[in-house]
Coordinates of all heavy atoms in Angstrom, one line a residue:
M1434 N 15.1 -24.8 34.1 CA 16.4 -24.2 34.1 C 17.2 -24.8 32.9 O 17.2 -26.0 32.7 CB 17.1 -24.5 35.4 CG 18.4 -23.7 35.6 SD 17.9 -22.0 35.8 CE 19.3 -21.3 36.4
I1435 N 17.9 -23.9 32.2 CA 18.7 -24.4 31.0 C 20.1 -24.5 31.5 O 20.7 -23.6 32.1 CB 18.6 -23.3 29.9 CG1 17.1 -23.3 29.4 CG2 19.5 -23.7 28.8 CD1 16.9 -22.2 28.3
T1436 N 20.7 -25.7 31.1 CA 22.1 -25.9 31.5 C 23.0 -25.1 30.6 O 22.6 -24.5 29.5 CB 22.5 -27.4 31.3 OG1 22.4 -27.7 29.9 CG2 21.6 -28.3 32.1
K1437 N 24.3 -25.0 30.9 CA 25.3 -24.2 30.1 C 25.4 -24.9 28.7 O 25.4 -24.1 27.7 CB 26.6 -24.2 30.7 CG 26.7 -23.2 31.9 CD 28.2 -23.0 32.3 CE 28.2 -22.0 33.4 NZ 29.0 -20.9 33.0
F1438 N 25.4 -26.2 28.6 CA 25.5 -26.9 27.3 C 24.2 -26.5 26.5 O 24.3 -26.2 25.3 CB 25.6 -28.4 27.5 CG 25.6 -29.1 26.2 CD1 26.7 -29.1 25.4 CD2 24.4 -29.8 25.8 CE1 26.6 -29.8 24.1 CE2 24.4 -30.4 24.6 CZ 25.5 -30.4 23.7
Q1439 N 23.1 -26.6 27.1 CA 21.8 -26.3 26.4 C 21.8 -24.8 25.9 O 21.4 -24.5 24.8 CB 20.6 -26.5 27.2 CG 20.4 -28.0 27.5 CD 19.4 -28.2 28.6 OE1 19.2 -27.4 29.5 NE2 18.7 -29.4 28.5
G1440 N 22.3 -23.9 26.7 CA 22.5 -22.5 26.4 C 23.4 -22.3 25.2 O 23.1 -21.6 24.2
L1441 N 24.5 -23.0 25.2 CA 25.5 -22.9 24.1 C 24.9 -23.5 22.8 O 25.1 -23.0 21.7 CB 26.8 -23.6 24.5 CG 27.7 -22.9 25.5 CD1 28.9 -23.8 25.9 CD2 28.1 -21.5 25.0
F1442 N 24.2 -24.6 23.0 CA 23.5 -25.2 21.8 C 22.5 -24.2 21.2 O 22.4 -24.0 20.0 CB 22.8 -26.5 22.2 CG 22.1 -27.1 21.1 CD1 22.8 -27.9 20.2 CD2 20.7 -27.0 20.9 CE1 22.2 -28.5 19.1 CE2 20.1 -27.6 19.9 CZ 20.8 -28.4 19.0
L1443 N 21.7 -23.5 22.1 CA 20.8 -22.5 21.6 C 21.5 -21.3 20.9 O 21.0 -20.8 19.8 CB 19.9 -22.0 22.7 CG 18.9 -23.0 23.2 CD1 18.1 -22.4 24.4 CD2 17.9 -23.3 22.1
V1444 N 22.6 -20.9 21.4 CA 23.4 -19.8 20.8 C 23.9 -20.3 19.4 O 23.8 -19.5 18.4 CB 24.5 -19.4 21.7 CG1 25.5 -18.5 21.0 CG2 24.0 -18.7 22.9
A1445 N 24.4 -21.5 19.4 CA 24.9 -22.0 18.1 C 23.8 -22.1 17.1 O 24.0 -21.7 15.9 CB 25.6 -23.4 18.3
A1446 N 22.6 -22.6 17.5 CA 21.5 -22.8 16.6 C 21.0 -21.4 16.1 O 20.7 -21.2 14.9 CB 20.4 -23.5 17.3
G1447 N 20.9 -20.4 17.0 CA 20.5 -19.1 16.6 C 21.5 -18.4 15.7 O 21.1 -17.8 14.7
L1448 N 22.8 -18.5 16.0 CA 23.8 -17.9 15.2 C 23.8 -18.5 13.8 O 23.9 -17.8 12.8 CB 25.1 -17.9 15.8 CG 25.3 -17.0 17.0 CD1 26.7 -17.2 17.7 CD2 25.2 -15.5 16.6
F1449 N 23.7 -19.8 13.7 CA 23.7 -20.5 12.5 C 22.6 -20.0 11.6 O 22.8 -19.7 10.4 CB 23.6 -22.0 12.7 CG 23.4 -22.8 11.4 CD1 24.5 -23.2 10.7 CD2 22.1 -23.2 11.0 CE1 24.3 -23.9 9.5 CE2 22.0 -23.9 9.8 CZ 23.1 -24.3 9.1
N1450 N 21.4 -19.9 12.2 CA 20.2 -19.5 11.4 C 20.3 -18.0 11.0 O 19.9 -17.6 9.9 CB 18.9 -19.7 12.1 CG 18.5 -21.2 12.0 OD1 18.1 -21.7 11.0 ND2 18.7 -21.9 13.1
V1451 N 20.9 -17.2 11.8 CA 21.0 -15.8 11.5 C 22.0 -15.6 10.4 O 21.9 -14.7 9.6 CB 21.4 -14.9 12.8 CG1 21.9 -13.6 12.4 CG2 20.2 -14.9 13.7
V1452 N 23.0 -16.5 10.3 CA 24.0 -16.4 9.2 C 23.5 -17.0 7.9 O 23.7 -16.4 6.9 CB 25.3 -17.0 9.7 CG1 26.3 -17.2 8.5 CG2 26.0 -16.2 10.8
V1453 N 22.9 -18.1 8.0 CA 22.5 -18.9 6.8 C 21.3 -18.3 6.1 O 21.3 -18.2 4.8 CB 22.2 -20.4 7.2 CG1 21.5 -21.1 6.1 CG2 23.5 -21.1 7.6
W1454 N 20.2 -17.9 6.8 CA 19.0 -17.5 6.1 C 19.2 -16.2 5.2 O 18.7 -16.2 4.1 CB 17.9 -17.3 7.1 CG 17.3 -18.7 7.4 CD1 17.5 -19.3 8.6 CD2 16.6 -19.5 6.6 NE1 16.9 -20.5 8.6 CE2 16.3 -20.7 7.4 CE3 16.1 -19.5 5.3 CZ2 15.6 -21.8 6.9 CZ3 15.4 -20.5 4.8 CH2 15.1 -21.7 5.6
P1455 N 20.0 -15.2 5.7 CA 20.2 -14.1 4.8 C 20.9 -14.4 3.5 O 20.6 -13.9 2.4 CB 21.0 -13.1 5.6 CG 20.6 -13.4 7.0 CD 20.4 -14.9 7.0
R1456 N 21.9 -15.4 3.6 CA 22.6 -15.8 2.4 C 21.6 -16.6 1.4 O 21.7 -16.5 0.2 CB 23.7 -16.7 2.8 CG 24.9 -16.0 3.5 CD 26.1 -16.8 3.7 NE 26.6 -17.6 2.6 CZ 27.3 -17.0 1.6 NH1 27.7 -15.8 1.7 NH2 27.7 -17.8 0.6
F1457 N 20.7 -17.3 2.0 CA 19.7 -18.0 1.2 C 18.8 -17.0 0.5 O 18.4 -17.2 -0.6 CB 18.9 -19.0 2.1 CG 17.9 -19.8 1.4 CD1 18.3 -20.8 0.5 CD2 16.5 -19.7 1.7 CE1 17.4 -21.6 -0.2 CE2 15.6 -20.5 1.0 CZ 16.0 -21.4 0.1
A1458 N 18.5 -15.9 1.2 CA 17.6 -14.9 0.7 C 18.3 -14.3 -0.6 O 17.6 -14.0 -1.6 CB 17.3 -13.8 1.7
M1459 N 19.6 -14.1 -0.5 CA 20.3 -13.6 -1.6 C 20.3 -14.5 -2.8 O 20.1 -14.1 -4.0 CB 21.8 -13.3 -1.3 CG 22.0 -12.2 -0.3 SD 21.4 -10.6 -0.9 CE 22.5 -10.3 -2.2
A1460 N 20.4 -15.8 -2.5 CA 20.3 -16.8 -3.6 C 18.9 -16.9 -4.2 O 18.8 -17.0 -5.5 CB 20.7 -18.2 -3.0
I1461 N 17.9 -16.8 -3.4 CA 16.5 -16.8 -4.0 C 16.3 -15.5 -4.8 O 15.7 -15.6 -5.9 CB 15.5 -16.8 -2.8 CG1 15.6 -18.2 -2.1 CG2 14.1 -16.6 -3.3 CD1 15.3 -19.4 -3.0
S1462 N 16.8 -14.4 -4.4 CA 16.6 -13.1 -5.1 C 17.3 -13.2 -6.5 O 16.9 -12.5 -7.4 CB 17.0 -11.9 -4.3 OG 18.4 -11.9 -4.2
R1463 N 18.3 -14.0 -6.6 CA 19.1 -14.1 -7.9 C 18.5 -15.2 -8.8 O 19.0 -15.4 -9.9 CB 20.5 -14.3 -7.6 CG 21.2 -13.1 -6.9 CD 22.7 -13.4 -6.7 NE 23.3 -12.3 -6.0 CZ 24.0 -12.4 -4.9 NH1 24.4 -13.5 -4.5 NH2 24.5 -11.3 -4.4
D1464 N 17.6 -16.0 -8.2 CA 17.1 -17.1 -9.0 C 16.1 -16.7 -10.0 O 15.2 -15.9 -9.7 CB 16.4 -18.1 -8.0 CG 16.1 -19.5 -8.6 OD1 15.6 -19.5 -9.7 OD2 16.4 -20.5 -7.9
D1465 N 16.2 -17.2 -11.2 CA 15.3 -16.8 -12.3 C 13.8 -17.2 -12.0 O 12.9 -16.5 -12.5 CB 15.7 -17.4 -13.6 CG 17.0 -16.9 -14.2 OD1 17.3 -15.7 -13.8 OD2 17.6 -17.6 -15.0
R1466 N 13.6 -18.2 -11.2 CA 12.2 -18.6 -10.9 C 11.5 -17.6 -10.0 O 10.3 -17.7 -9.8 CB 12.3 -20.0 -10.2 CG 12.8 -21.1 -11.1 CD 12.9 -22.4 -10.4 NE 14.1 -22.3 -9.5 CZ 14.5 -23.2 -8.6 NH1 13.8 -24.4 -8.6 NH2 15.5 -23.0 -7.8
A1467 N 12.3 -16.7 -9.4 CA 11.7 -15.8 -8.4 C 11.0 -14.6 -9.1 O 10.3 -13.8 -8.5 CB 12.7 -15.3 -7.4
W1468 N 11.3 -14.4 -10.4 CA 10.8 -13.2 -11.1 C 10.1 -13.6 -12.4 O 10.4 -14.6 -13.1 CB 12.0 -12.3 -11.4 CG 12.8 -12.0 -10.2 CD1 13.9 -12.6 -9.8 CD2 12.4 -11.0 -9.2 NE1 14.3 -12.1 -8.6 CE2 13.4 -11.1 -8.2 CE3 11.4 -10.2 -9.0 CZ2 13.4 -10.3 -7.0 CZ3 11.3 -9.4 -7.9 CH2 12.3 -9.5 -6.9
T1469 N 9.1 -12.8 -12.8 CA 8.4 -13.0 -14.1 C 9.3 -12.5 -15.2 O 9.0 -12.9 -16.4 CB 7.1 -12.3 -14.1 OG1 7.3 -10.9 -13.8 CG2 6.1 -12.9 -13.0
G1470 N 10.2 -11.7 -15.0 CA 11.1 -11.1 -16.0 C 12.5 -10.8 -15.5 O 13.1 -11.6 -14.8
E1471 N 12.9 -9.6 -15.7 CA 14.2 -9.1 -15.2 C 14.2 -9.0 -13.7 O 13.2 -8.5 -13.1 CB 14.6 -7.8 -15.8 CG 16.0 -7.3 -15.5 CD 16.3 -5.9 -16.1 OE1 15.5 -5.4 -16.9 OE2 17.3 -5.4 -15.7
H1472 N 15.3 -9.4 -13.0 CA 15.4 -9.4 -11.6 C 15.2 -8.0 -11.0 O 15.8 -7.1 -11.5 CB 16.7 -9.9 -11.1 CG 16.9 -11.4 -11.4 ND1 17.9 -12.1 -10.8 CD2 16.3 -12.3 -12.3 CE1 17.9 -13.4 -11.3 NE2 16.9 -13.5 -12.1
W1473 N 14.3 -7.9 -10.0 CA 14.0 -6.7 -9.3 C 13.3 -5.6 -10.1 O 13.0 -4.5 -9.7 CB 15.3 -6.0 -8.6 CG 15.8 -6.9 -7.5 CD1 16.9 -7.7 -7.6 CD2 15.2 -7.1 -6.3 NE1 17.1 -8.4 -6.4 CE2 16.1 -8.1 -5.6 CE3 14.1 -6.7 -5.6 CZ2 15.8 -8.5 -4.3 CZ3 13.8 -7.1 -4.3 CH2 14.7 -8.0 -3.7
R1474 N 13.1 -5.9 -11.4 CA 12.4 -4.9 -12.3 C 11.0 -5.5 -12.8 O 10.3 -4.9 -13.5 CB 13.2 -4.5 -13.5 CG 14.5 -3.9 -13.0 CD 15.1 -3.0 -14.1 NE 16.4 -2.5 -13.9 CZ 16.8 -1.6 -13.0 NH1 15.9 -1.1 -12.2 NH2 18.0 -1.3 -12.9
S1475 N 10.7 -6.7 -12.3 CA 9.5 -7.4 -12.7 C 8.8 -7.9 -11.5 O 9.3 -7.8 -10.4 CB 9.7 -8.5 -13.7 OG 10.6 -9.5 -13.1
A1476 N 7.6 -8.4 -11.6 CA 6.9 -8.9 -10.5 C 7.5 -10.2 -9.9 O 7.9 -11.1 -10.6 CB 5.4 -9.2 -10.9
P1477 N 7.5 -10.3 -8.6 CA 7.9 -11.5 -7.9 C 6.9 -12.6 -8.1 O 5.7 -12.4 -8.2 CB 8.1 -11.2 -6.5 CG 7.3 -9.9 -6.3 CD 7.2 -9.2 -7.6
T1478 N 7.4 -13.9 -8.2 CA 6.5 -15.0 -8.4 C 6.1 -15.6 -7.0 O 6.7 -15.2 -6.0 CB 7.2 -16.1 -9.2 OG1 8.4 -16.5 -8.5 CG2 7.6 -15.5 -10.6
A1479 N 5.3 -16.6 -7.1 CA 4.9 -17.4 -5.8 C 6.2 -18.0 -5.2 O 6.3 -18.1 -4.0 CB 3.9 -18.4 -6.1
F1480 N 7.1 -18.5 -6.1 CA 8.4 -19.0 -5.6 C 9.1 -18.0 -4.7 O 9.6 -18.4 -3.6 CB 9.2 -19.4 -6.8 CG 10.6 -19.9 -6.5 CD1 10.8 -21.3 -6.2 CD2 11.7 -19.1 -6.4 CE1 12.1 -21.8 -6.0 CE2 12.9 -19.5 -6.2 CZ 13.1 -20.9 -5.9
F1481 N 9.1 -16.8 -5.1 CA 9.8 -15.7 -4.3 C 9.0 -15.5 -3.0 O 9.7 -15.5 -1.9 CB 9.8 -14.4 -5.1 CG 10.3 -13.2 -4.4 CD1 11.7 -12.9 -4.5 CD2 9.5 -12.4 -3.6 CE1 12.2 -11.9 -3.8 CE2 10.1 -11.4 -2.9 CZ 11.4 -11.1 -3.0
W1482 N 7.7 -15.4 -3.0 CA 7.0 -15.1 -1.8 C 7.0 -16.2 -0.8 O 7.1 -16.0 0.4 CB 5.5 -14.7 -2.2 CG 5.5 -13.3 -2.8 CD1 5.1 -13.1 -4.1 CD2 5.9 -12.1 -2.3 NE1 5.3 -11.7 -4.4 CE2 5.8 -11.1 -3.2 CE3 6.4 -11.7 -1.0 CZ2 6.1 -9.8 -3.0 CZ3 6.7 -10.4 -0.8 CH2 6.5 -9.4 -1.8
V1483 N 6.9 -17.4 -1.3 CA 6.9 -18.6 -0.4 C 8.3 -18.6 0.4 O 8.3 -18.7 1.6 CB 6.7 -19.9 -1.1 CG1 7.1 -21.1 -0.3 CG2 5.3 -20.0 -1.6
H1484 N 9.3 -18.4 -0.4 CA 10.7 -18.4 0.3 C 10.9 -17.2 1.1 O 11.5 -17.2 2.2 CB 11.8 -18.5 -0.8 CG 11.9 -19.9 -1.3 ND1 11.1 -20.3 -2.4 CD2 12.6 -21.0 -0.9 CE1 11.3 -21.6 -2.6 NE2 12.2 -22.0 -1.8
A1485 N 10.3 -16.0 0.8 CA 10.4 -14.8 1.6 C 9.8 -15.1 3.0 O 10.3 -14.7 4.0 CB 9.8 -13.6 0.9
V1486 N 8.6 -15.7 3.0 CA 7.9 -16.0 4.2 C 8.7 -16.9 5.1 O 8.9 -16.8 6.3 CB 6.5 -16.5 4.0 CG1 5.8 -17.1 5.2 CG2 5.6 -15.4 3.4
L1487 N 9.2 -18.0 4.4 CA 10.1 -18.9 5.2 C 11.3 -18.3 5.8 O 11.7 -18.5 6.9 CB 10.5 -20.1 4.2 CG 9.4 -21.0 3.8 CD1 10.0 -22.0 2.7 CD2 8.9 -21.8 5.0
I1488 N 12.0 -17.4 5.0 CA 13.2 -16.8 5.5 C 12.9 -15.8 6.6 O 13.6 -15.8 7.6 CB 13.9 -16.0 4.3 CG1 14.4 -17.0 3.3 CG2 14.9 -15.1 4.8 CD1 14.8 -16.5 1.9
V1489 N 11.8 -15.0 6.5 CA 11.5 -14.1 7.6 C 11.1 -14.8 8.8 O 11.6 -14.5 9.9 CB 10.3 -13.1 7.1 CG1 9.8 -12.4 8.3 CG2 10.9 -12.2 6.0
T1490 N 10.3 -15.9 8.7 CA 9.9 -16.7 9.9 C 11.1 -17.3 10.5 O 11.2 -17.3 11.8 CB 8.9 -17.8 9.4 OG1 7.7 -17.1 8.8 CG2 8.4 -18.6 10.6
A1491 N 11.9 -18.0 9.8 CA 13.1 -18.6 10.3 C 14.0 -17.6 11.0 O 14.6 -17.9 12.1 CB 13.9 -19.4 9.2
T1492 N 14.2 -16.4 10.5 CA 15.0 -15.4 11.1 C 14.5 -14.9 12.4 O 15.2 -14.8 13.4 CB 15.3 -14.2 10.1 OG1 15.8 -14.8 8.9 CG2 16.2 -13.2 10.7
F1493 N 13.1 -14.8 12.4 CA 12.5 -14.4 13.7 C 12.7 -15.5 14.8 O 12.9 -15.2 15.9 CB 11.0 -14.0 13.5 CG 10.8 -12.6 13.1 CD1 10.2 -12.3 11.9 CD2 11.3 -11.5 13.8 CE1 10.0 -11.0 11.5 CE2 11.1 -10.2 13.4 CZ 10.5 -10.0 12.2
F1494 N 12.5 -16.7 14.4 CA 12.7 -17.8 15.3 C 14.2 -17.8 15.8 O 14.5 -18.0 17.0 CB 12.4 -19.2 14.7 CG 11.0 -19.6 14.7 CD1 10.3 -19.8 13.6 CD2 10.3 -19.7 16.0 CE1 8.9 -20.2 13.7 CE2 9.0 -20.0 16.1 CZ 8.3 -20.3 14.9
A1495 N 15.1 -17.6 14.9 CA 16.6 -17.5 15.3 C 16.8 -16.4 16.3 O 17.5 -16.6 17.3 CB 17.4 -17.3 14.0
L1496 N 16.2 -15.3 16.0 CA 16.4 -14.2 17.0 C 15.8 -14.5 18.3 O 16.3 -14.1 19.4 CB 15.8 -12.9 16.4 CG 16.6 -12.3 15.2 CD1 15.8 -11.2 14.6 CD2 18.0 -11.9 15.5
G1497 N 14.6 -15.2 18.3 CA 14.0 -15.6 19.5 C 14.8 -16.6 20.3 O 14.9 -16.5 21.5
I1498 N 15.4 -17.5 19.6 CA 16.3 -18.5 20.2 C 17.5 -17.8 20.8 O 17.9 -18.1 22.0 CB 16.8 -19.5 19.2 CG1 15.6 -20.5 18.8 CG2 18.0 -20.4 19.7 CD1 15.9 -21.3 17.6
L1499 N 18.1 -16.8 20.1 CA 19.2 -16.1 20.7 C 18.8 -15.3 22.0 O 19.5 -15.3 22.9 CB 19.8 -15.2 19.7 CG 20.6 -15.8 18.6 CD1 21.0 -14.8 17.5 CD2 21.9 -16.4 19.2
W1500 N 17.6 -14.8 21.9 CA 17.1 -14.0 23.1 C 16.9 -15.0 24.3 O 17.3 -14.6 25.4 CB 15.8 -13.3 22.8 CG 15.2 -12.6 24.0 CD1 14.1 -12.9 24.7 CD2 15.7 -11.4 24.6 NE1 13.9 -12.1 25.7 CE2 14.9 -11.1 25.7 CE3 16.8 -10.6 24.4 CZ2 15.1 -10.1 26.5 CZ3 17.1 -9.6 25.2 CH2 16.2 -9.3 26.3
I1501 N 16.3 -16.1 24.1 CA 16.2 -17.1 25.1 C 17.5 -17.5 25.7 O 17.7 -17.6 26.9 CB 15.4 -18.4 24.6 CG1 13.9 -18.0 24.4 CG2 15.4 -19.5 25.6 CD1 13.1 -19.0 23.6
A1502 N 18.5 -17.8 24.8 CA 19.8 -18.2 25.3 C 20.5 -17.1 26.1 O 21.1 -17.3 27.1 CB 20.7 -18.5 24.1
Y1503 N 20.3 -15.8 25.6 CA 20.8 -14.7 26.4 C 20.2 -14.6 27.7 O 20.9 -14.4 28.7 CB 20.6 -13.4 25.6 CG 20.9 -12.2 26.4 CD1 22.2 -11.8 26.6 CD2 19.9 -11.4 26.9 CE1 22.5 -10.6 27.3 CE2 20.1 -10.2 27.6 CZ 21.5 -9.9 27.8 OH 21.7 -8.8 28.6
R1504 N 18.9 -14.6 27.8 CA 18.2 -14.5 29.1 C 18.6 -15.7 30.0 O 18.8 -15.5 31.2 CB 16.7 -14.5 28.9 CG 16.1 -13.3 28.2 CD 16.4 -12.0 28.9 NE 15.8 -12.0 30.2 CZ 16.2 -11.3 31.2 NH1 17.2 -10.4 31.1 NH2 15.6 -11.4 32.4
A1505 N 18.8 -16.9 29.5 CA 19.2 -18.0 30.3 C 20.6 -17.8 30.8 O 20.9 -18.1 32.0 CB 19.1 -19.3 29.5
H1506 N 21.5 -17.2 30.0 CA 22.8 -16.9 30.5 C 22.8 -15.8 31.6 O 23.6 -16.0 32.5 CB 23.7 -16.5 29.3 CG 25.1 -16.2 29.6 ND1 26.0 -17.1 30.0 CD2 25.7 -15.0 29.7 CE1 27.1 -16.5 30.3 NE2 27.0 -15.2 30.1
V1507 N 22.0 -14.8 31.4 CA 22.0 -13.7 32.3 C 21.4 -14.2 33.7 O 21.9 -13.7 34.7 CB 21.2 -12.5 31.8 CG1 20.9 -11.5 32.8 CG2 21.9 -11.9 30.6
T1508 N 20.5 -15.0 33.7 CA 19.8 -15.4 34.9 C 20.5 -16.7 35.5 O 20.0 -17.1 36.6 CB 18.3 -15.7 34.7 OG1 18.2 -16.7 33.7 CG2 17.6 -14.5 34.2
A1509 N 21.5 -17.3 34.9 CA 22.1 -18.4 35.4 C 22.9 -18.1 36.7 O 23.5 -17.0 36.8 CB 23.1 -19.0 34.4
H1510 N 22.9 -19.0 37.6 CA 23.6 -18.8 38.9 C 25.0 -19.3 38.8 O 25.3 -20.3 38.4 CB 22.8 -19.4 40.0 CG 21.5 -18.8 40.2 ND1 21.1 -17.5 40.0 CD2 20.3 -19.4 40.7 CE1 19.9 -17.3 40.3 NE2 19.3 -18.4 40.7

């Protein structure tokens, strides 16, 4: 059973990650190291793809954390 404090902690962690990772994605897409030439008009580099995988994975984990927190809140007595 998850306590209220643990549930709030999970909500905070999930929301933090949902807010931070998309902003990081924007920063990576604007970074010159992410492209072989002009941004969005040239091929992405390994730097881009590694960070894209990290961002997508972290966002899915954040959504999973939020789902767990929501389910714990709904089923709490």
Side-chain angles (χ1 to χ4, degrees):
M1434 191 70 164
I1435 296 176
T1436 66
K1437 284 192 179 244
F1438 176 77
Q1439 291 168 331
L1441 287 174
F1442 180 80
L1443 288 175
V1444 168
L1448 288 175
F1449 174 81
N1450 282 289
V1451 166
V1452 169
V1453 168
W1454 285 106
R1456 292 185 50 81
F1457 185 65
M1459 294 298 293
I1461 294 299
S1462 71
R1463 293 180 183 135
D1464 193 314
D1465 291 337
R1466 296 172 290 178
W1468 307 99
T1469 56
E1471 186 180 351
H1472 294 196
W1473 294 106
R1474 299 205 191 288
S1475 61
T1478 63
F1480 177 86
F1481 177 91
W1482 289 115
V1483 165
H1484 286 87
V1486 169
L1487 289 172
I1488 291 164
V1489 168
T1490 303
T1492 302
F1493 277 120
F1494 275 122
L1496 294 172
I1498 289 168
L1499 285 172
W1500 177 251
I1501 290 168
Y1503 169 76
R1504 294 298 301 157
H1506 179 70
V1507 168
T1508 60
H1510 297 330

